[in-house]
Amino acid sequence: MNTIAAEMDWLALAQKALNGECLTLEEGIAVLDADNDEVLLLMQAAFKVRKHFYGKKVKLNMIINAKSGLCPEDCGYCSQSIVSTAPVKKYTLLDKDTLVSGAREALARKAGTYCIVASGKGPTDKELDQVVDAVREIRNTMPLKICACLGILKDDQAERLAEAGVHRYNHNLNTSKANYPSITTTHTYDQRVETVEKVKTHGMSPCSGVIIGMGETDQEIVEMAYALRELDADSIPINFLNAIPGTPLEHAGRTPAMKALKVLALFRFICPSKEIRVAGGREVNLRTLQPLSLFAANSLFVGDYLTTAGQDVTADHQIIEDLGFEIELNAL
C-alpha cells in the first residue's frame, strides 16, 4: 500500500464524485492500492455515490450468444477468436424466432435489458436484416430494453439498428490504449472508440466497458475509467477475465476478490452517474464476495455468458433480496 492510499479519506472521494469532480490519477491508484482492511470503508463510500444516483435498485441484463465462433479476430481473451482452440459451439446467426424466444426468457429472469451479441468483426447486411426483424418484433410485443453487440459498425448499419428500435449498443474498449496491441492485432483501440462515437451520433445509448486481468497496470485501469468517462458511456460492464483453456490468456491468474471490489469502487467514483455492471467472470473472480459488488455496481448479467456458464438466476435474485435491494423491472 502506498502512502497516499494509507492517508486517503474514502468518503471525501465519494463527495468529490458527487460534486462532479474527477479523481486525480494518484487518487485513483490509491483506491486500487487500498489495504484490504479498508475495503469495507471503501465500499461504504462507493455506496454513497451509487445510492445517490440509483437508490437500492439493481438492473438485470441477459445475453444471448446470437452467433458463436467463426470469428476472424485474434482477441487473446476470447474463446471464439480465430487463435483459440477452446472447444466452443460454432454456428451462424440465430433465426428471428430464436432471438425473440430469448427475449421472452430475459423477461422470465426479470431482466430489463436483452443483449443480442454476435461474434465477428462486424455484421453482414444479411445478419443485420435478421437482427432488425427480431428487434422490431421484440419492441412491439415486450417491455424490454434491447442492446446489440455486433462488432464494428458502418454508418448505415448504425442508422438501421436505431430505426429498428435498438436502445443501446455495446462495444467494449476492453483494455487501455497502451495495452491494446498485446491483446488484439486485427483491429485497433481507435476503431473501438470510433464505433462508440458512431453509436452516439445515431441516437443509441453507448455501452462500453473493460476486462480486468489482462496484464494491465493499476495506472492503466484508472486510464480506462477516464476513457469511459470521456466517451460518456451510459452503461459500463466491468468484466474480470475468466481465463479459458485454449486461449492465449489461458494462464493468466484470476483477479483477487478484494481487488475486484476496489476496481468497482474506482469506476463508481470516476463515472458516478453511470450504470456500472458486474459482468463476465464475476463468479470465478469475486466468488463468495459477489454480494458486496452491488454496493458499488447497480447492474448484473444474469444467466450464462457467451461461452461460459453463469450462476443460477435464482442465486442472483436471492443476493439482491438478502441485501435489501430491489430488482428494477422493465428498466426502460
Side-chain angles (χ1 to χ4, degrees):
M1 181 175 65
N2 64 32
T3 303
I4 295 176
E7 299 173 351
M8 190 62 63
D9 181 344
W10 308 123
L11 287 173
L13 289 190
Q15 192 57 53
K16 188 173 183 177
L18 289 171
N19 292 343
E21 302 171 49
C22 190
L23 270 62
T24 65
L25 178 62
E26 291 76 16
E27 289 169 335
I29 292 173
V31 170
L32 297 176
D33 197 35
D35 191 282
N36 286 346
D37 290 349
E38 295 278 304
V39 165
L40 287 181
L41 295 174
L42 180 60
M43 298 309 289
Q44 178 189 14
F47 181 62
K48 181 178 180 180
V49 182
R50 181 247 203 265
K51 188 177 180 182
H52 175 82
F53 290 103
Y54 293 100
K56 293 185 176 181
K57 292 187 176 180
V58 181
K59 299 175 185 289
L60 300 183
N61 297 249
M62 193 196 90
I63 291 173
I64 186 169
N65 191 4
K67 176 187 173 187
S68 184
L70 308 173
C71 185
E73 304 301 286
D74 68 353
C75 305
Y77 52 83
C78 184
S79 59
Q80 302 183 78
S81 77
I82 195 168
V83 294
S84 169
T85 59
V88 300
K89 293 181 179 178
K90 296 181 180 180
Y91 50 83
T92 57
L93 194 73
L94 299 174
D95 60 35
K96 172 185 172 182
D97 289 345
T98 305
L99 293 176
V100 172
S101 177
R104 296 192 192 97
E105 178 60 27
L107 278 179
R109 296 180 183 186
K110 301 183 181 181
T113 301
Y114 177 53
C115 308
I116 301 173
V117 184
S119 63
K121 188 164 191 171
T124 65
D125 290 339
K126 180 180 178 181
E127 289 170 340
L128 201 74
D129 289 342
Q130 290 175 246
V131 172
V132 163
D133 286 347
V135 167
R136 285 179 174 148
E137 181 164 337
I138 295 165
R139 285 297 311 272
N140 288 333
T141 58
M142 292 175 238
L144 276 173
K145 179 183 287 181
I146 300 173
C147 178
C149 178
L150 312 174
I152 295 170
L153 291 178
K154 302 173 185 175
D155 274 303
D156 62 310
Q157 292 176 325
E159 183 177 0
R160 289 191 63 201
L161 289 171
E163 289 176 350
V166 171
H167 298 87
R168 178 168 286 169
Y169 195 85
N170 167 260
H171 202 55
N172 292 332
L173 298 185
N174 287 328
T175 193
S176 69
K177 185 168 185 176
N179 195 42
Y180 206 85
S182 71
I183 303 302
T184 307
T185 65
T186 48
H187 60 268
T188 67
Y189 178 92
D190 288 342
Q191 283 179 293
R192 286 188 170 266
V193 172
E194 289 164 9
T195 293
V196 177
E197 293 289 4
K198 190 172 297 181
V199 164
K200 293 194 290 185
T201 299
H202 290 279
M204 288 181 285
S205 169
C207 173
S208 188
V210 299
I211 305 172
I212 302 298
M214 299 197 297
E216 70 284 345
T217 65
D218 281 357
Q219 177 170 328
E220 286 173 327
I221 294 175
V222 179
E223 289 169 353
M224 292 180 221
Y226 286 161
L228 291 167
R229 180 185 173 104
E230 184 176 348
L231 270 177
D232 200 24
D234 292 330
S235 180
I236 302 174
I238 309 296
N239 301 277
F240 298 97
L241 181 68
N242 184 353
I244 299 172
T247 63
L249 291 177
E250 65 179 333
H251 298 301
R254 55 177 288 276
T255 299
M258 297 292 264
K259 178 64 174 285
L261 292 175
K262 296 170 196 176
V263 169
L264 292 168
L266 172 77
F267 276 81
R268 176 54 67 200
F269 290 143
I270 293 180
C271 304
S273 66
K274 303 304 186 179
E275 177 181 341
I276 305 294
R277 185 179 319 125
V278 196
R282 67 177 166 95
E283 295 86 351
V284 297
N285 289 274
L286 282 158
R287 299 196 297 205
T288 59
L289 298 190
Q290 288 183 71
L292 288 177
S293 69
L294 288 176
F295 286 95
N298 66 295
S299 179
L300 291 175
F301 275 121
V302 290
D304 295 338
Y305 300 98
L306 295 175
T307 64
T308 57
Q311 67 186 22
D312 191 283
V313 67
T314 58
D316 291 326
H317 292 172
Q318 192 68 63
I319 286 173
I320 294 166
E321 180 183 335
D322 289 347
L323 288 170
F325 289 6
E326 174 189 357
I327 296 171
E328 185 174 349
L329 298 173
N330 310 134
L332 297 178

